[in-house]
Amino acid sequence: MSQSPNDYLREWKFRTNDYLRILHEREAPPEDKTCCACGSEFPAYRCYDCLGNPVFCLKCCRDEHRRLPFHKIGKWNGGFFEETSLTKIGMEIYLGHQGMPCPALGDIHEWEDTDEPIYQPAEDFPTILEPPFLNRKQCITIVDKSRVHSIMIRFCQCPNACTPDKQLFEMAMFPASFTRPKTAFTFPVLDGFALDNLECGTSAMNYYNKLRRMTSSIFPHLVPDRYRELMRVARQWRQLKLLKWNGFAYESRSPTSGELALFCPACPQPGINAPLPANRNPDDPSWLYARSLVMDGNFKAEHLHPTHPDDEVWLTDGQCFMVSKDQYKAHLAVANNVVQHSKCNNHRAVNQANASRHKLEATGIGGCACARHSCFVPHSVVDFQKGERQMNMDYALCHVLSHHTDGLSQAFTFYDINCQYNKHFRRRVNESLHLSIPSGMEIIPGIGLWHVHGHQDKCYVRYASTFITSAARIDGEIMETLWAPLNIISPAARGMYTPHRQECLDYQMNDSNFMKMIRMSGFLCRKYKEAIKGVAESASAFDKLNETADPIMVATWEEQDRYAHSRRVTDPSAMDVFEVQLKRAPTRKQQELALLSSRAARLSGNAQRGAATWIASGITIEEMQIALSMDIRRLGRHPTETQTLDICRRRTKLQSRIDEFTIVAATHLGEGFDVDDEIRDLHLDFMDDDLEDNRIDGSDTESEPEADGQQRRDLFYPEKIMIPLPSNIGVARCAELGVEHLLGQEIALREGQANDALQAIRMHLADKAVLFRTAVRPAKSQVKSTRAWTQVHSVERVIRLNTMIYTKCRAQLGNLDAHGLLKKYLRMEKCHLKTTAAVADPNARGQRNATLPWFWSLDIQGDSVSSDWMNECTSVFIYNPSVTSSKYKSLFVPQF
């Protein structure tokens, strides 16, 4: 049985002292006091980087570290091992002859150390510890991943020798200058910095400060400052690595746009991983040679105006993912900036497209990635000068559609605001001198499954990937996940020179694609297995549904499906055929208007003509009683005088309404009705998450407010009065009074009341989800968090009020014997009122059988008795399994 981490920690508590003793004993020389290499006595030096931290004599220490010049050593001073360096004991590095001295150097001054230690010079202890490096003119500062070293380096002086900078580079040390190099960086330290920057977002400043502390924990400020040199050499190193990785060591030409960037190995690229049109099988489906793309902007990647823009050096301009600066500027200079407001919902990306930021050269970046495998597309990332303008994204999209797409005729593009962006895209391309798309390329626009729910309802069937044939099972939101790691380095890149920032972002995006590539095979194998299972399930569901449907209707639906998809690019409204046409459940006002307008009401006498209005006013009074009861309960047992006065005023107003209602009651209930008959207190079932007592009836007086420390017993309680509605009188009593016709009218009004309450609950639950996503989670301060939670609590109070109203309405329907409606309007439970922000991820694991509470689809249940509704419902369900099967089949060949 495996142990937990806590089990190991419990054992560790009994072993701590043993480990501490061994650690302390390692600070002393070995007991035999002999050199581990030659066996001589009185070894003086300990190496902290060799295995086991062995001790050496002076000669052996030099000989053993001839090819390990960056090891850390300590010198025994009689009391402890004092930190020193190999240079101080005569270590030198010879270049050009495989580590051996150059014959042309002549006589070399031999280092003599007469300070071979003996174990008594306690009086020779230095009064001040010295840093373990030398600041001598003949020494070169070498920055290694272990620390900063000051090393004596002897260059080759042969006539045919390379220049000193190249000699250093041949020994895996990158010189910081070229004529007389005095600083060099080892290849491991440059690789280590690049990896730390990729994985941890470590800046050059933080990385070099770490090296300074590793060099000297006591004197880090005395270690030579090579921070600026590290930033510059790291840029040169990244360029060399990219050129090497992409095979330019074998070519004399310079890279062109995007040639130093890695791209998705699974997306179709004719001539690279897919056959050219002339060599294709004519039976291949069209989606096999279609490109799926996602577009998005990122406003975290800001950039300040550079201090010296005319003194910038570009090393990889446009050769990776960021576009070339000169061509991009030329496009922006002539592009028409059309200011347009969203005709869909109030999208921030549209309405704030021209919002500028002070002191920022770039307010963010925009780019594209493949939608199926989440790889950035080379030469497709642009800077935003203001907001997310169409001219910026046009340039990115046109370059994406031209990257290795010769022979591809179809592209799916997913963009948060595609309903607005795609309208005039081709017109903008045709009017531009710098934009073009491949001839014959069909662009099918879509919107990600998360963002599409922030649009108008019609955008769902027009642009959601669910309704795009052959788009595969994708959510169109993959760019959001790609921005997250990029945002880690965005603060550090904010103040860099423009070329340096571009190179950092390019390197990050290239590494992101590399990590996708090395995991691609396992990812595609898993997707392939899911596709096989998905095809079988969707095909089975489709066959079962298709067998029960009318063949004539199925043929009609298939024709509508073909027509809609053939017209979707030129006329997105053709897809509206897939939108279920529903009649909303009637509201209480609509029910009252229908009762007043009915022929029976017009022909009845004056006593019955206003019955619907009278019952509606009684329902309103009942809602006022519920609201007042909840507010009194929320105040607690010790309200303020102002709160008590407000309650008294509301009670007075409520009592006046009740008196008016009761006076008119005799008109509608007849002379046999006695107001004082069977007077009972109003009963309410509270559903309150904040209080433990969730059921308080009218006889409970513990929640009544107090003033001056005493219960005010002389106050009246109109919120507890049972008003004479037919539902309160009862069906039997109404029959005795001969007013059975009032039962049907109240049932109709109660149905409208229930619909109103459920609609309010749905709307405010959605508002609560939005508040959590836009206000609560982004809040970074106590003030913002408090304000956000205040908004949430305000929405929760409205939800509880409408829940109470619905619960009371359902109870009254039971009193009216409306059992048929009780099957439609189910009991409301606390679990039904939970809020979830995951409204649009059908591909998420564990969501296959997840369902929303019953009231989210109430209209569907209510209209299910209509044959027209059933036809609408069946047509949509026929389409969904068929398109799902098509999407799974598009995963069978996970694209090359």
Side-chain angles (χ1 to χ4, degrees):
M1 182 176 179
S2 61
Q3 291 180 299
S4 68
N6 288 336
D7 293 333
Y8 286 106
L9 289 177
R10 293 185 186 97
E11 292 184 18
W12 164 253
K13 293 176 65 176
F14 298 100
R15 302 169 185 260
T16 305
N17 292 333
D18 294 338
Y19 280 77
L20 178 61
R21 178 181 51 80
I22 297 174
L23 180 64
H24 187 264
E25 290 176 352
R26 286 173 54 82
E27 298 295 326
E31 294 182 358
D32 55 3
K33 296 182 176 62
T34 57
C35 173
C36 68
C38 66
S40 62
E41 296 183 353
F42 305 121
Y45 298 94
R46 162 168 281 173
C47 180
Y48 293 100
D49 291 331
C50 289
L51 181 63
N53 301 155
V55 293
F56 301 94
C57 64
L58 174 63
K59 182 178 182 303
C60 291
C61 186
R62 252 188 266 166
D63 294 341
E64 293 291 330
H65 291 89
R66 192 170 298 279
R67 295 188 180 275
L68 300 171
F70 304 128
H71 276 202
K72 175 183 177 181
I73 65 171
K75 179 180 179 180
W76 181 254
N77 61 13
F80 62 93
F81 282 100
E82 180 184 350
E83 191 173 347
T84 185
S85 66
L86 290 169
T87 303
K88 285 187 175 183
I89 64 171
M91 171 68 69
E92 294 181 349
I93 296 179
Y94 300 98
L95 304 182
H97 296 273
Q98 298 182 349
M100 302 303 295
C102 175
L105 288 176
D107 294 335
I108 301 175
H109 171 70
E110 291 292 341
W111 186 288
E112 294 183 5
D113 191 340
T114 59
D115 211 11
E116 187 74 20
I118 309 174
Y119 290 108
Q120 69 252 18
E123 62 276 9
D124 293 339
F125 286 0
T127 56
I128 300 178
L129 295 177
E130 297 181 356
F133 52 85
L134 297 176
N135 290 318
R136 295 181 179 177
K137 291 184 178 181
Q138 62 269 35
C139 290
I140 292 181
T141 300
I142 305 295
V143 182
D144 183 54
K145 66 178 181 179
S146 59
R147 62 191 59 85
V148 180
H149 303 267
S150 182
I151 296 180
M152 186 77 69
I153 293 184
R154 303 285 186 175
F155 295 98
C156 177
Q157 302 294 331
C158 295
N160 60 344
C162 298
T163 57
D165 60 306
K166 293 180 181 178
Q167 290 187 41
L168 286 171
F169 196 79
E170 288 177 349
M171 290 293 287
M173 290 181 283
F174 203 120
S177 58
F178 307 111
T179 305
R180 299 179 62 186
K182 284 297 183 181
T183 300
F185 297 85
T186 64
F187 290 1
V189 76
L190 295 176
D191 287 334
F193 169 60
L195 190 59
D196 274 15
N197 183 255
L198 291 173
E199 288 292 335
C200 311
T202 306
S203 66
M205 173 69 78
N206 292 336
Y207 188 80
Y208 194 76
N209 284 341
K210 181 190 76 171
L211 292 178
R212 297 178 81 173
R213 296 187 63 178
M214 292 173 64
T215 304
S216 176
S217 60
I218 304 176
F219 304 105
H221 56 287
L222 298 181
V223 178
D225 185 5
R226 298 295 185 266
Y227 158 64
R228 295 185 181 277
E229 288 79 1
L230 174 61
M231 284 198 300
R232 173 170 52 81
V233 172
R235 291 181 59 189
Q236 300 167 237
W237 181 247
R238 281 196 290 258
Q239 182 194 22
L240 287 177
K241 299 285 278 190
L242 289 174
L243 291 169
K244 174 188 173 184
W245 290 338
N246 290 278
F248 281 91
Y250 305 99
E251 300 185 26
S252 58
R253 66 180 182 90
S254 299
T256 58
S257 298
E259 279 198 306
L260 295 185
L262 299 173
F263 185 46
C264 178
C267 285
Q269 302 176 65
I272 298 177
N273 63 358
L276 294 170
N279 302 325
R280 292 176 188 168
N281 187 341
D283 297 331
D284 287 342
S286 60
W287 52 260
L288 193 60
Y289 304 103
R291 187 77 65 82
S292 299
L293 304 167
V294 181
M295 308 164 57
D296 194 26
N298 177 10
F299 289 95
K300 296 288 186 181
E302 299 175 341
H303 186 231
L304 298 172
H305 284 288
T307 55
H308 303 288
D310 298 331
D311 190 30
E312 294 181 332
V313 180
W314 298 76
L315 299 181
T316 58
D317 180 32
Q319 297 173 2
C320 293
F321 295 90
M322 301 287 287
V323 297
S324 304
K325 62 179 178 65
D326 293 333
Q327 294 89 331
Y328 184 46
K329 288 181 178 179
H331 160 71
L332 296 177
V334 299
N336 293 324
N337 180 27
V338 179
V339 181
Q340 62 173 202
H341 293 283
S342 174
K343 295 182 180 179
C344 185
N345 286 349
N346 203 28
H347 301 303
R348 182 174 62 180
V350 177
N351 297 336
Q352 295 185 0
N354 290 283
S356 60
R357 297 280 300 278
H358 185 54
K359 295 184 179 180
L360 289 182
E361 180 190 42
T363 59
I365 59 175
C368 303
C370 63
R372 299 183 65 172
H373 315 103
S374 64
C375 290
F376 287 103
V377 182
H379 203 255
S380 68
V381 181
V382 297
D383 278 323
F384 295 149
Q385 292 70 40
K386 292 184 178 180
E388 193 171 342
R389 296 184 294 179
Q390 292 181 348
M391 64 171 68
N392 303 120
M393 300 307 295
D394 288 346
Y395 195 84
L397 181 57
C398 287
H399 280 275
V400 168
L401 296 176
S402 302
H403 183 76
H404 296 165
T405 56
D406 294 338
L408 300 184
S409 58
Q410 194 177 64
F412 302 98
T413 62
F414 294 90
Y415 190 26
D416 302 346
I417 53 173
N418 237 344
C419 59
Q420 302 294 316
Y421 172 80
N422 191 70
K423 283 183 179 180
H424 308 294
F425 171 67
R426 288 189 177 271
R427 188 188 71 184
R428 296 193 300 272
V429 172
N430 295 332
E431 294 175 352
S432 175
L433 299 175
H434 302 275
L435 301 179
S436 64
I437 57 177
S439 177
M441 176 71 74
E442 180 187 26
I443 302 174
I444 301 177
I447 299 176
L449 291 179
W450 170 266
H451 286 89
V452 75
H453 290 277
H455 290 245
Q456 295 180 359
D457 292 342
K458 62 183 180 182
C459 289
Y460 181 70
V461 295
R462 296 181 183 182
Y463 298 103
S465 62
T466 309
F467 295 89
I468 301 178
T469 303
S470 302
R473 290 178 62 84
I474 56 178
D475 57 15
E477 304 286 355
I478 197 65
M479 286 292 285
E480 305 293 342
T481 63
L482 296 179
W483 292 140
L486 206 63
N487 291 340
I488 298 176
I489 68 160
S490 293
R494 190 172 186 263
M496 291 179 177
Y497 283 114
T498 306
H500 190 187
R501 168 180 174 266
Q502 183 188 98
E503 293 159 16
C504 284
L505 296 179
D506 281 338
Y507 207 70
Q508 287 281 339
M509 289 183 276
N510 199 62
D511 182 71
S512 174
N513 284 8
F514 174 74
M515 297 304 293
K516 297 290 191 307
M517 290 176 62
I518 61 178
R519 297 184 175 98
M520 189 72 71
S521 58
F523 168 78
L524 295 180
C525 290
R526 186 176 70 253
K527 284 292 187 181
Y528 182 75
K529 294 177 182 178
E530 293 177 0
I532 294 176
K533 183 179 179 181
V535 167
E537 293 177 352
S538 58
S540 175
F542 175 77
D543 292 339
K544 290 180 180 179
L545 191 58
N546 196 37
E547 291 172 358
T548 60
D550 184 0
I552 299 177
M553 292 301 299
V554 170
T556 303
W557 296 330
E558 290 176 345
E559 179 61 29
Q560 292 175 344
D561 174 58
R562 285 191 294 269
Y563 176 79
H565 281 88
S566 65
R567 297 279 298 169
R568 71 173 304 148
V569 176
T570 57
D571 182 18
S573 62
M575 296 295 294
D576 291 348
V577 68
F578 296 109
E579 188 172 4
V580 179
Q581 305 297 324
L582 289 177
K583 291 183 178 180
R584 293 189 178 275
T587 65
R588 197 180 79 189
K589 291 182 179 179
Q590 291 173 343
Q591 293 287 63
E592 181 181 354
L593 183 61
L595 291 173
L596 294 175
S597 303
S598 64
R599 183 172 181 272
R602 292 195 303 269
L603 297 179
S604 60
N606 293 332
Q608 297 183 8
R609 188 171 297 143
T613 301
W614 173 73
I615 296 175
S617 65
I619 294 176
T620 302
I621 291 173
E622 198 175 73
E623 292 178 354
M624 293 174 62
Q625 291 176 310
I626 294 173
L628 181 57
S629 298
M630 292 186 67
D631 290 343
I632 293 173
R633 187 167 184 260
R634 187 165 55 89
L635 292 180
R637 298 176 60 86
H638 304 286
T640 64
E641 291 183 352
T642 302
Q643 293 172 334
T644 304
L645 179 59
D646 179 64
I647 294 297
C648 291
R649 289 173 177 173
R650 291 175 62 183
R651 278 173 166 166
T652 302
K653 182 178 179 180
L654 178 59
Q655 185 62 51
S656 299
R657 294 286 298 271
I658 294 174
D659 292 342
E660 294 175 3
F661 179 82
T662 306
I663 293 172
V664 182
T667 305
H668 297 286
L669 297 177
E671 297 178 355
F673 173 71
D674 187 353
V675 177
D676 296 328
D677 279 352
E678 301 179 1
I679 295 296
R680 305 187 307 275
D681 285 340
L682 183 68
H683 176 81
L684 296 178
D685 290 334
F686 286 93
M687 186 179 293
D688 193 341
D689 294 335
D690 298 333
L691 299 176
E692 295 180 1
D693 184 10
N694 294 324
R695 294 182 59 86
I696 300 179
D697 57 24
S699 61
D700 186 5
T701 60
E702 290 185 358
S703 62
E704 295 299 330
E706 297 179 2
D708 299 330
Q710 296 181 351
Q711 183 87 11
R712 293 203 171 187
R713 303 180 183 278
D714 56 336
L715 289 178
F716 57 97
Y717 305 109
E719 69 275 7
K720 297 183 179 181
I721 296 176
M722 185 80 74
I723 58 177
L725 282 168
S727 54
N728 292 331
I729 298 174
V731 175
R733 181 60 174 160
C734 287
E736 294 176 2
L737 298 174
V739 290
E740 295 93 335
H741 62 279
L742 297 180
L743 298 174
Q745 296 189 42
E746 184 173 357
I747 289 174
L749 292 172
R750 291 291 182 180
E751 183 180 5
Q753 182 190 25
N755 293 332
D756 289 345
L758 292 175
Q759 176 65 10
I761 291 173
R762 287 192 293 262
M763 293 298 295
H764 286 89
L765 284 175
D767 289 344
K768 186 177 176 181
V770 172
L771 283 174
F772 270 104
R773 185 170 184 263
T774 61
V776 175
R777 292 173 184 169
K780 302 299 183 183
S781 65
Q782 183 67 32
V783 174
K784 292 182 179 180
S785 179
T786 302
R787 290 175 180 173
W789 278 106
T790 300
Q791 293 177 333
V792 172
H793 294 326
S794 177
V795 173
E796 287 178 340
R797 284 195 293 271
V798 179
I799 293 174
R800 285 196 292 268
L801 173 61
N802 285 279
T803 302
M804 290 288 299
I805 292 174
Y806 172 79
T807 303
K808 182 63 179 177
C809 175
R810 190 176 185 278
Q812 297 294 61
L813 285 173
N815 295 336
L816 294 170
D817 290 343
H819 300 296
L821 288 177
L822 293 180
K823 296 179 181 179
K824 174 182 177 181
Y825 298 102
L826 305 179
R827 185 183 299 278
M828 184 71 70
E829 303 291 347
K830 286 184 181 180
C831 60
H832 296 158
L833 302 178
K834 291 183 179 179
T835 305
T836 175
V839 296
D841 190 5
N843 298 330
R845 182 172 296 179
Q847 297 295 320
R848 179 186 297 272
N849 299 320
T851 57
L852 289 171
W854 60 271
F855 57 83
W856 287 98
S857 57
L858 179 65
D859 293 348
I860 296 176
Q861 295 181 5
D863 291 338
S864 61
V865 296
S866 167
S867 59
D868 292 337
W869 157 249
M870 286 303 295
N871 287 334
E872 286 283 337
C873 181
T874 308
S875 67
V876 173
F877 286 149
I878 284 283
Y879 172 75
N880 278 340
S882 65
V883 74
T884 302
S885 178
S886 173
K887 290 176 180 294
Y888 273 121
K889 289 178 180 177
S890 67
L891 294 176
F892 265 134
V893 181
Q895 295 217 347
F896 311 99

